[in-house]
Amino acid sequence: MSKYGEKNIRAYGNNFTTMTPGPVAKWLRTCLIFQAIRFVIINIKMLVVVSKSH
Amino acid sequence: MARLVVLGGGVSGHTAATFAAEWLGSAHEVVVVTPNAKWNWIPSNIWVGVGQMTKEEVTFDLAPVYAKAGIIYHQAKALGIHPEGNETSDKPYVVVESTEAGKAGQIENIEYDYLINATGPKLNFAATPGLGDANGLGEFTVSVCTADHAVHANEELHKCIEKMKKGERQKFLIGTGHGMCTCQGAAFEYIFNIEHELNKAGVRDMADIKWISNESFLGDFGVGGLHMKAMGFAVSSKIFAESLFAERNVDWIIGAHVNKVEKGKVHYELLDGSMGEEEFDFSMLIPPFAGVGLKAINKAGEDITATIFAPNGFMKVDANYAAGAYENWKASDWPSTYQNPTYGNVFACGIAFAPPHPISKPMSSPNGTPINPTPPRTGMPSGIMGKAVAHSVCDRILKGPDAPLHEASMAHMGAACVASAGKGLFTGTAAAMTIYPVVPDFEKYPGTGRDTEYTFGEIGLAGHWIKHILHHLFIWKAKLKPGWTLIPE
Ligand SMILES: Cc1cc2nc3c(=O)[nH]c(=O)nc-3n(C[C@H](O)[C@H](O)[C@H](O)COP(=O)(O)OP(=O)(O)OC[C@H]3O[C@@H](n4cnc5c(N)ncnc54)[C@H](O)[C@@H]3O)c2cc1C
């Protein structure tokens, strides 16, 4: 799990210079409580941009 | 009584026509000319293309909706515009050809007082030999640009999944099929939805998945990339995109102009001038977009298409088409009223208007081949433009021909985008992003060109929930169900 994203990095290949998520970042993406909070925050952020654009 | 004719019943035209009908009431006429019998929520075609939605879930019949709204509906495609009328009448009109069963091919003239061109893109498969036939259902590659294309793509995808289940390794190649494509976002969604579905089917380890695109860096998306606020940094979309590609084990070829497609193989030229080939078992390549090929004829019967339309077939509007080199580009080059400079009662919105220039920096190979994304006009800006143009036309009809025009420049508006990376109520993810403004303004926001207070992005399940809710919300709105006017574009 801890090597979740890192295992795909190829030394000096296309993807050698990017970042990869660790286990916590990965877990948070589908953690229901965290995502429910993010759902509210993202919606507010989007509504602000929508209201600035109309 | 005045008549507004709207060409194209897609995202932009449907928004314009329905709001115009709402604001004008029955005292004036709103006419829609569009070749399809069904409306399509195009963003969800991605899910049709991986078998997670049916064609029926992403389309609905237009006729009952227009009947409810009091809109006169012609299932037809516009062929030409006569903005000065003809020898016998000064009344401007459009020539349309019916696509309705039983009437197909019949030609009709429809007069107008105001015209909105929202005909979207011609999917120009023919620009790349082998990419597809006129219907887009290519012999060698698939497409997700229409619901029918997506149904076909899903059938082909499942053939590959069956092969992998039998132990046969498969190569997937997804991206753009020409050096001048836009819509990288759709290909981005499709590649990660495929990856997600292959995981679910238990065959991910049997698949090599590769991205090929005309972007000079991953995460350009046709908007020159964007800097998003994250972890206290303004982080380039390049980092985010590369990170996701690395995490999901998807390799990439960028700066590529696909110049030929054969059975199981694409040929491409890179920005450094080198040529390459890539083999595939399954490939979805977005075609380049062009205008739909409308002609314009003046009163004397002379062809004035080049006056009204840009060489790429998109309609000229109030943009600065003489900006020249990249160094001279300004946010103010972008149109704000979408009024045609020659005919004040003609407007173009959504993908149908001719942009002044790309948003991404133009690039070409040492062989002189241009390889850079052309500017996207995604759903939210297309809807906002459609509404603004409808507002302008309604004001001119109701308040007089000098009523000021409404403005909706892509250099002053933001966009909210949700790019699906896999569908599932608890396992899905999507990149939820906002970008403000769509066209970077390097004078106002030195450095990144955008306001990083309002430009952000993150990937997660919440984004997927939003994408799924938006699917239902926008179909609700397009069907003009209760409260539809309150749902923003
Ligand atoms: C697969 C895919 C996924 C996408 N996902 C997203 C997304 O997640 N978010 C987002 O914001 N955007 C997305 N987009 C982009 C979005 O679909 C477009 O921005 C939007 O559809 C543009 O609206 P439009 O009205 O200009 O064109 P369209 O929606 O294409 O409408 C054009 C209409 O004109 C009609 N027409 C064509 N020729 C004629 C003619 N001669 N006469 C009359 N009518 C004609 C067409 O049939 C069509 O109905 C996606 C695009 C694709 C292809």
Side-chain angles (χ1 to χ4, degrees):
Chain A
M1 180 71 174
S2 63
K3 303 290 180 204
Y4 164 73
E6 294 168 37
K7 68 183 188 312
N8 297 328
I9 300 277
R10 280 178 302 279
Y12 298 97
N14 260 346
N15 64 15
F16 192 48
T17 51
T18 193
M19 60 182 192
T20 55
V24 177
K26 161 85 175 114
W27 174 75
L28 282 175
R29 282 193 200 152
T30 47
C31 164
L32 287 181
I33 296 169
F34 182 71
Q35 288 299 318
I37 297 165
R38 295 313 298 167
F39 178 80
V40 175
I41 293 170
I42 295 170
N43 269 298
I44 293 169
K45 287 182 164 195
M46 286 188 162
L47 283 173
V48 170
V49 170
V50 167
S51 66
K52 276 176 77 72
S53 305
H54 276 72
Chain B
M1 178 188 277
R3 181 188 285 164
L4 162 65
V5 173
V6 179
L7 306 180
V11 170
S12 207
H14 191 73
T15 306
T18 49
F19 273 102
E22 175 82 4
W23 292 327
L24 291 173
S26 54
H28 302 281
E29 273 181 7
V30 176
V31 177
V32 172
V33 176
T34 196
N36 332 1
K38 288 182 185 287
W39 195 82
N40 176 205
W41 177 238
I42 298 172
S44 295
N45 288 354
I46 299 297
W47 289 335
V48 177
V50 291
Q52 287 300 306
M53 273 195 178
T54 62
K55 182 184 165 186
E56 289 65 36
E57 285 174 283
V58 302
T59 57
F60 63 82
D61 285 330
L62 274 173
V65 175
Y66 286 153
K68 180 165 78 175
I71 293 172
I72 301 163
Y73 166 46
H74 289 261
Q75 194 192 323
K77 64 175 185 212
L79 301 176
I81 306 174
H82 294 247
E84 301 169 5
N86 56 25
E87 325 76 75
T88 54
S89 162
D90 289 341
K91 191 84 185 166
Y93 65 96
V94 284
V95 180
V96 310
E97 181 186 309
S98 179
T99 53
E100 200 180 330
K103 278 175 70 183
Q106 283 181 21
I107 304 284
E108 195 182 337
N109 295 349
I110 303 174
E111 293 184 345
Y112 66 82
D113 296 293
Y114 289 91
L115 181 72
I116 297 178
N117 172 17
T119 45
K122 168 181 155 192
L123 303 173
N124 195 10
F125 289 97
T128 304
L131 191 58
D133 59 17
N135 299 318
L137 293 180
E139 215 181 325
F140 312 127
T141 60
V142 300
S143 150
V144 285
C145 290
T146 71
D148 284 324
H149 291 177
V151 169
H152 169 249
N154 177 47
E155 286 164 7
E156 295 300 312
L157 174 65
H158 278 83
K159 285 181 198 164
C160 292
I161 292 178
E162 286 313 310
K163 284 183 190 164
M164 287 186 279
K165 282 184 175 163
K166 289 182 185 138
E168 199 180 321
R169 220 176 161 75
Q170 297 285 287
K171 279 187 162 183
F172 293 80
L173 184 69
I174 314 292
T176 55
H178 190 274
M180 300 288 282
C181 282
T182 181
C183 221
Q184 289 76 15
F188 174 95
E189 289 189 285
Y190 196 52
I191 200 168
F192 288 112
N193 270 271
I194 286 184
E195 201 271 344
H196 184 74
E197 292 305 316
L198 297 186
N199 262 315
K200 273 165 56 184
V203 292
R204 176 63 183 91
D205 57 335
M206 296 299 291
D208 300 309
I209 310 180
K210 204 173 241 186
W211 171 259
I212 185 163
S213 98
N214 55 349
E215 302 157 290
S216 67
F217 59 91
L218 266 190
D220 178 291
F221 293 128
V223 292
L226 54 146
H227 283 77
M228 298 176 265
K229 234 185 180 173
M231 299 162 284
F233 291 78
V235 186
S236 163
S237 51
K238 176 178 190 281
I239 304 283
F240 277 113
E242 287 185 352
S243 169
L244 188 63
F245 276 69
E247 179 193 339
R248 307 276 284 261
N249 201 15
V250 175
D251 200 2
W252 64 84
I253 303 168
I254 46 170
H257 162 60
V258 171
N259 51 27
K260 191 174 167 195
V261 184
E262 294 174 344
K263 186 172 166 50
K265 191 194 278 182
V266 299
H267 299 257
Y268 60 83
E269 176 181 348
L270 293 181
L271 270 169
D272 65 9
S274 62
M275 305 290 171
E277 291 176 2
E278 188 67 31
E279 295 190 348
F280 63 82
D281 297 293
F282 176 97
S283 178
M284 195 293 291
L285 299 176
I286 299 273
F289 291 174
V292 299
L294 298 178
K295 291 264 169 243
I297 311 289
N298 70 7
K299 197 166 176 59
E302 293 155 351
D303 191 320
I304 52 162
T305 307
T307 311
I308 297 193
F309 294 94
N312 55 13
F314 295 121
M315 186 178 258
K316 290 182 193 166
V317 291
D318 60 321
N320 174 18
Y321 295 109
Y326 173 75
E327 290 66 33
N328 304 326
W329 293 1
K330 289 201 165 61
S332 55
D333 297 338
W334 285 78
S336 54
T337 66
Y338 304 95
Q339 185 182 38
N340 180 262
T342 316
Y343 298 99
N345 58 345
V346 176
F347 296 80
C349 54
I351 294 175
F353 84 83
H357 44 67
I359 300 176
S360 306
K361 190 172 179 178
M363 300 196 184
S364 53
S365 76
N367 313 317
T369 309
I371 308 177
N372 57 257
T374 45
R377 277 139 288 165
T378 54
M380 184 174 149
S382 296
I384 292 178
M385 279 174 225
K387 191 172 178 182
V389 165
H391 220 152
S392 296
V393 170
C394 291
D395 278 358
R396 294 215 157 175
I397 292 174
L398 298 172
K399 298 180 184 166
D402 297 325
L405 298 173
H406 291 259
E407 299 191 348
S409 166
M410 281 170 59
H412 299 144
M413 75 168 87
C417 299
V418 191
S420 172
K423 191 169 178 293
L425 188 57
F426 300 112
T427 57
T429 50
M433 286 176 277
T434 63
I435 173 168
Y436 188 89
V438 177
V439 174
D441 185 338
F442 292 103
E443 286 170 352
K444 195 165 174 192
Y445 308 107
T448 67
R450 301 209 173 83
D451 189 338
T452 44
E453 286 302 317
Y454 303 107
T455 302
F456 85 98
E458 69 177 66
I459 186 163
L461 183 58
H464 171 69
W465 290 336
I466 294 172
K467 180 103 185 161
H468 208 146
I469 290 169
L470 288 180
H471 164 91
H472 292 291
L473 206 63
F474 284 125
I475 289 182
W476 180 277
K477 179 179 164 120
K479 285 182 171 173
L480 312 184
K481 292 207 176 174
W484 69 272
T485 54
L486 303 174
I487 300 169
E489 286 64 48

